[in-house]
Amino acid sequence: MSNWNSKYFIPVISFLIFSLFVGYSFISAGTTQNSSFTQFQIEAKVDSILNLLTLKEKIALLHGNSKFSSTGVKRLGISELKSADGPTGVREEVERDSWEPLNLETDSATFFPAGPALAATWNRDLAFRFGEALGEETRARGKDILLGPSVNIIRTPISGRNFEFFTEDPYLNAEIAVRYIQGLQSKDAAACIKHYIANNQEWMRWQIDVQVDERALREIYLPVYKAAVQKADVLAFMGAYNKVRGWYCCENDYLLNKVLKEEWGFKGVVISDWGATHSTVDAALNGLDIEMGTREKYENYFFADPLMKAVKKGDVPVSIVNDKARRVLYVMLSCKTTDSNRCSGSIGTPEHFQTAYDVASEGIVLLKNSEKILPLDRKIIKRLAIFGENGTHCHAQEGFGAGVKALKEIPPLQGLENKVGDEIEIRYAQGYEEKYNLIDIGRRWKIRVPDSTANRDLIREAVEIAKNCDAAVIFGGSNRSIESEGFDRKDMKLPFGQSELIKAVVEVNPNTVVVMIASAPYDLAGIEPVVSALLWGWFNGSEAGTAMADVIFGDVNPSGKLPFTMPVKLKDSPAHALNTYPGENMTAIYKEGILVGYRWFDTKEIEPLYPFGHGLSYTRFTYSSIQTDQNIYSVDDTIRLSVTVKNIGDRAGAETVQIYMHDADASVVRPVKELKGFEKVFLQPGEEKEVCVLLPVRDLAFFDDQVMTWVVEPGAFELMAGASSRDIRGSVFINVQ
Ligand code: BGC
């Protein structure tokens, strides 16, 4: 043996055997996780791997090494941790070190409906299927983490990202998010719930300091995140850009260490929003685990070389780095990153399009049908006028931020044409023109603001067509250039002079249906009195047009219910009524506290245009026999509330029974109504069912910020069953002792 051999042979061979062993252990840990491997075994395996890592290797796990990945440990067969944007489809590939799309042929995906559309279904099973399909697509694209769901509370109607979020209500938010995450993570991908927390406006999101009181934090903003940890074992959190109470969310000891990790027992990783890290030591000590970003030199990231220096200097203890690396490995093992049996996923399958269709069709909301124009009758209508750019506009990609390169997107006009074939003559005209003005919003940002002037020639053309048709459908609303990440809308105005078009067409053809394609509240008060048939259609994914055509012609009976309040005017909604939007001196004080959304409108007795939970059907439902199994409960009990729902029309349909609570003897301000349960029932004509909702008495509590705990006060509580928050069909009083 040469000198070299004698010196290096034994260590090298030992190292190879060792690496093989560890690589095998790593792989086998993942293999069995979803079958027999227990949490305890995963954690033990994580520890054994951690012991083999150098400090440098651990730190490499904690920051981006490309736009959407962080480093693995090659020598142990641990690959990069790869993420992709959601939340409504897997984003196309961009270059490793820039946001430039790679323009591949292979990175298209199913485009799923917008967040509020999913919430509008009020269907937990659909949320699970949505997550499952998204999980399969995440895996098929070779990703480990899907950056979604996006669950910020819809606090103001004009927040740019409302189209991603679910709702203004914390209970509905949690119910939908939990099933979405469970579905997604069942496919060996990690969900990354975002944006933790209070990223409720895009205006100055990088700096704004949200001053929110503890009770509102606990009752309104935190519940979805807590449920994601405790009911869905979510594997990743994304720290938001903004500050909360003076501290950036990615270095906020209270939110990350105290609440998330200590109080709730979160085991996964906290990932910074892209570029949301502002320090090394504070972020490291205060709970951030992985820094992702947009800067080029990855070694300069706060959690790269500067973290190594801080550890060497003693500013960040090694134990903190170990904890973070342990969490990264835990996520990897939990979603089987190097396992040969890992779900390999599938993309754009008929099942995924079916899920997109089911969500789209169940999410469409029938806001008004006072003259029973809808559904249109195929036997009677010979000539149908269709107007509006949103008849043909696709919504998968536009505006700033993540979109989906959709494998297909059927816009409404195409959906209608596919449906009626030669049976009905469709006459389409543009109706309005999508025109924008470029506005400078500072920091070298220019946004496209929709022009609200009407195009008279287009209106004249539409009117002439409408006069000679049996019915007309106008597709108005907005698009993803108007509702976008990065900026808020200026107001709630309908864009492009749509109100004028609608009024002119209705005047010559009263059989006019107006369909709003938008995913946040708009000012409909101007058109509401003249329109008798109004549908809300969302940015509704790959099968948007198919679903819309089925609803318009009655093959699908609409069952969507609004997941937010549609105010008469912007000033009616709490943040605007109290002048707390967008804040002053980079501070937004959430003065409305717990009175967010319908909690505000009900308590302040402000009439909304359409209330939270509102949505009609082509049939009618009656509610009767609302009752509870007892009259008196103690705090540990669960109330069994039942109500009989009957379909008294002549079409099959679905109704979402909403259960609201009011604490009649509260010693503190409590909203007039708080959603505490819901159940969606499908009923044939004439059929009735007893709907049963289980309500743990503890869920009736408020958060007492004096003693920092949840309190159920003894006394009377009213439990209400409603078809919306303003359409209460029956109530019952119970007593808590
Ligand atoms: C958004 C995140 C997104 C990230 C990566 C940020 O600007 O706020 O939601 O996941 O970019 O694209």
Side-chain angles (χ1 to χ4, degrees):
M1 228 179 238
S2 71
N3 251 356
W4 187 92
N5 282 349
S6 54
K7 196 165 157 200
Y8 295 109
F9 182 74
I10 292 171
V12 165
I13 288 296
S14 321
F15 175 74
L16 284 176
I17 293 171
F18 187 58
S19 297
L20 271 174
F21 167 75
V22 170
Y24 173 76
S25 326
F26 186 78
I27 287 165
S28 59
T31 313
T32 45
Q33 189 258 317
N34 276 1
S35 43
S36 58
F37 231 73
T38 63
Q39 183 103 352
F40 175 75
Q41 285 168 307
I42 289 184
E43 283 169 31
K45 201 56 85 178
V46 163
D47 280 335
S48 72
I49 297 166
L50 192 69
N51 286 336
L52 305 171
L53 303 187
T54 64
L55 180 63
K56 196 168 168 210
E57 285 169 334
K58 290 175 196 166
I59 287 178
L61 297 174
L62 308 184
H63 61 87
N65 67 349
S66 82
K67 284 280 164 282
F68 285 100
S69 63
S70 46
T71 313
V73 191
K74 225 178 181 169
R75 70 177 174 96
L76 299 182
I78 301 175
S79 53
E80 290 181 334
L81 194 62
K82 297 188 254 346
S83 58
D85 257 315
T88 56
V90 187
R91 183 183 185 156
E92 68 183 322
E93 297 294 333
V94 295
E95 287 178 0
R96 268 189 82 83
D97 304 325
S98 94
W99 294 98
E100 279 308 306
L102 276 175
N103 295 320
L104 304 177
E105 302 270 301
T106 48
D107 59 352
S108 301
T110 305
F111 169 34
F112 294 96
L118 176 60
T121 68
W122 296 60
N123 186 330
R124 299 175 180 93
D125 294 339
L126 271 184
F128 185 83
R129 281 176 49 204
F130 187 113
E132 264 187 327
L134 202 49
E136 278 170 0
E137 302 220 344
T138 304
R139 290 300 309 121
R141 289 274 303 281
K143 309 297 177 191
D144 307 305
I145 303 180
L146 192 277
L147 303 172
S150 195
V151 299
N152 296 92
I153 286 283
I154 298 180
R155 173 177 179 257
T156 156
I158 58 172
S159 171
R161 274 182 115 167
N162 286 344
F163 75 93
E164 284 188 30
F165 308 155
F166 292 140
T167 172
E168 67 187 25
D169 178 77
Y171 176 78
L172 178 60
N173 209 14
E175 292 298 293
I176 297 295
V178 162
R179 297 298 283 154
Y180 173 123
I181 294 164
Q182 287 170 338
L184 200 151
Q185 295 196 165
S186 74
K187 298 299 173 186
D188 302 337
C192 179
I193 192 166
K194 65 188 188 183
H195 311 79
Y196 187 66
I197 194 172
N199 182 182
N200 309 102
Q201 65 188 52
E202 291 299 280
W203 176 256
M204 292 300 162
R205 63 174 174 164
W206 294 281
Q207 289 118 315
I208 197 89
D209 181 13
V210 173
Q211 292 291 332
V212 53
D213 65 66
E214 191 65 26
R215 189 169 165 209
L217 199 60
R218 297 286 175 159
E219 291 189 24
I220 306 294
Y221 298 97
L222 286 173
V224 64
Y225 298 99
K226 183 179 182 184
V229 173
Q230 298 189 339
K231 295 189 180 160
D233 289 322
V234 69
L235 288 166
F237 262 59
M238 184 185 288
Y241 285 118
N242 50 287
K243 294 177 184 171
V244 169
R245 300 182 190 155
W247 284 89
Y248 281 112
C249 286
C250 291
E251 52 185 52
N252 196 311
D253 178 56
Y254 180 64
L255 292 172
L256 300 179
N257 284 337
K258 302 285 184 311
V259 175
L260 175 61
K261 293 182 176 175
E262 288 165 27
E263 202 180 305
W264 298 345
F266 176 62
K267 292 198 157 70
V269 286
V270 177
I271 303 173
S272 72
D273 199 342
W274 271 230
T277 313
H278 294 267
S279 62
T280 298
V281 177
D282 281 338
L285 298 181
N286 294 348
L288 182 73
D289 300 308
I290 299 180
E291 178 191 3
M292 294 303 291
T294 58
R295 289 178 294 138
E296 250 91 86
K297 296 219 179 251
Y298 303 108
E299 66 270 25
N300 292 343
Y301 275 28
F302 292 106
F303 273 19
D305 292 354
L307 180 57
M308 178 63 93
K309 277 190 201 123
V311 174
K312 295 215 160 122
K313 236 177 109 195
D315 291 342
V316 174
V318 176
S319 60
I320 293 278
V321 173
N322 284 344
D323 176 64
K324 297 182 194 311
R326 185 182 286 114
R327 286 169 181 277
V328 176
L329 294 171
Y330 175 79
V331 171
M332 289 172 161
L333 286 196
S334 298
C335 63
K336 304 187 191 173
T337 50
T338 54
D339 186 342
S340 56
N341 284 338
R342 187 181 192 195
C343 169
S344 54
S346 53
I347 214 151
T349 63
E351 292 75 23
H352 295 180
F353 288 125
Q354 184 64 44
T355 299
Y357 168 83
D358 289 345
V359 174
S361 55
E362 271 197 42
I364 291 170
V365 183
L366 177 60
L367 291 175
K368 185 174 180 184
N369 197 18
S370 52
E371 302 303 319
K372 304 276 178 288
I373 294 173
L374 283 167
L376 298 184
D377 190 337
R378 276 165 91 161
K379 289 190 218 89
I380 294 175
I381 289 169
K382 297 282 163 271
R383 216 182 272 157
L384 179 64
I386 308 286
F387 304 125
E389 294 224 22
N390 264 342
T392 54
H393 200 121
C394 289
H395 301 279
Q397 273 180 322
E398 241 182 322
F400 178 76
V404 182
K405 202 159 113 188
L407 274 166
K408 72 167 166 186
E409 181 177 352
I410 299 179
L413 178 62
Q414 193 188 334
L416 286 163
E417 284 170 346
N418 292 347
K419 182 156 199 80
V420 300
D422 296 334
E423 239 177 84
I424 295 176
E425 184 193 338
I426 289 185
R427 301 187 61 184
Y428 173 75
Q430 195 181 339
Y432 62 85
E433 191 187 356
E434 291 180 354
K435 268 196 331 195
Y436 300 87
N437 300 313
L438 220 50
I439 307 260
D440 198 329
I441 58 164
R443 293 169 54 110
R444 287 178 290 135
W445 270 74
K446 285 199 171 47
I447 58 166
R448 292 166 81 204
V449 175
D451 194 313
S452 53
T453 35
N455 182 322
R456 301 273 153 220
D457 293 338
L458 293 181
I459 293 182
R460 259 193 297 277
E461 182 194 13
V463 164
E464 284 315 306
I465 294 174
K467 278 183 191 164
N468 297 309
C469 286
D470 304 309
V473 183
I474 304 174
F475 290 98
S478 73
N479 58 49
R480 292 279 317 284
S481 286
I482 300 171
E483 296 179 41
S484 167
E485 182 183 335
F487 55 89
D488 296 334
R489 280 182 291 146
K490 227 166 65 280
D491 50 41
M492 291 204 318
K493 271 197 200 129
L494 277 180
F496 315 128
Q498 288 175 7
S499 304
E500 284 92 324
L501 169 72
I502 291 168
K503 287 176 190 161
V505 170
V506 171
E507 205 174 303
V508 297
N509 192 333
N511 282 338
T512 296
V513 177
V514 173
V515 182
M516 285 295 150
I517 306 290
S519 297
Y522 278 79
D523 182 351
L524 304 181
I527 58 154
E528 212 272 346
V530 299
V531 173
S532 67
L534 192 52
L535 281 164
W536 194 269
W538 314 110
F539 306 138
N540 228 353
S542 283
E543 297 286 1
T546 319
M548 185 52 75
D550 284 348
V551 166
I552 287 176
F553 281 102
D555 295 309
V556 166
N557 189 351
S559 64
K561 301 265 188 184
L562 283 180
F564 50 66
T565 305
M566 195 81 71
V568 172
K569 53 186 189 305
L570 190 57
K571 263 284 179 199
D572 288 347
S573 60
H576 301 270
L578 298 173
N579 277 325
T580 67
Y581 170 89
E584 269 172 29
N585 304 323
M586 288 301 157
T587 305
I589 304 173
Y590 284 16
K591 287 189 193 148
E592 71 282 5
I594 56 162
L595 298 183
V596 173
Y598 65 91
R599 285 164 164 74
W600 167 267
F601 285 81
D602 286 350
T603 309
K604 301 288 176 190
E605 296 179 354
I606 300 165
E607 203 57 40
L609 188 65
Y610 293 111
F612 173 82
H614 171 76
L616 305 172
S617 164
Y618 296 152
T619 186
R620 280 181 305 128
F621 302 97
T622 56
Y623 290 47
S624 60
S625 318
I626 176 168
Q627 55 194 0
T628 51
D629 55 343
Q630 288 165 221
N631 298 327
I632 299 173
Y633 296 88
S634 66
V635 176
D636 293 323
D637 291 340
T638 293
I639 306 162
R640 184 184 184 281
L641 181 143
S642 60
V643 55
T644 302
V645 182
K646 184 170 181 181
N647 180 350
I648 56 163
D650 53 10
R651 276 172 192 271
E655 171 69 330
T656 297
V657 177
Q658 301 158 40
I659 306 299
Y660 295 90
M661 174 279 283
H662 176 63
D663 184 346
D665 291 334
S667 66
V668 295
V669 174
R670 297 206 65 173
V672 169
K673 286 184 216 96
E674 292 173 55
L675 184 73
K676 290 293 161 189
F678 63 82
E679 229 31 81
K680 189 165 190 172
V681 268
F682 294 81
L683 296 169
Q684 294 303 322
E687 193 187 2
E688 70 174 25
K689 271 189 195 158
E690 184 189 71
V691 175
C692 172
V693 178
L694 297 177
L695 303 167
V697 173
R698 285 194 186 280
D699 288 359
L700 309 182
F702 75 97
F703 191 81
D704 186 341
D705 51 6
Q706 299 304 305
V707 284
M708 291 293 280
T709 191
W710 291 92
V711 174
V712 184
E713 290 187 308
F717 288 82
E718 184 180 8
L719 302 175
M720 296 160 263
S724 84
S725 61
R726 291 281 175 129
D727 185 7
I728 301 300
R729 304 289 186 87
S731 77
V732 59
F733 279 87
I734 56 128
N735 254 280
V736 175
Q737 289 188 336

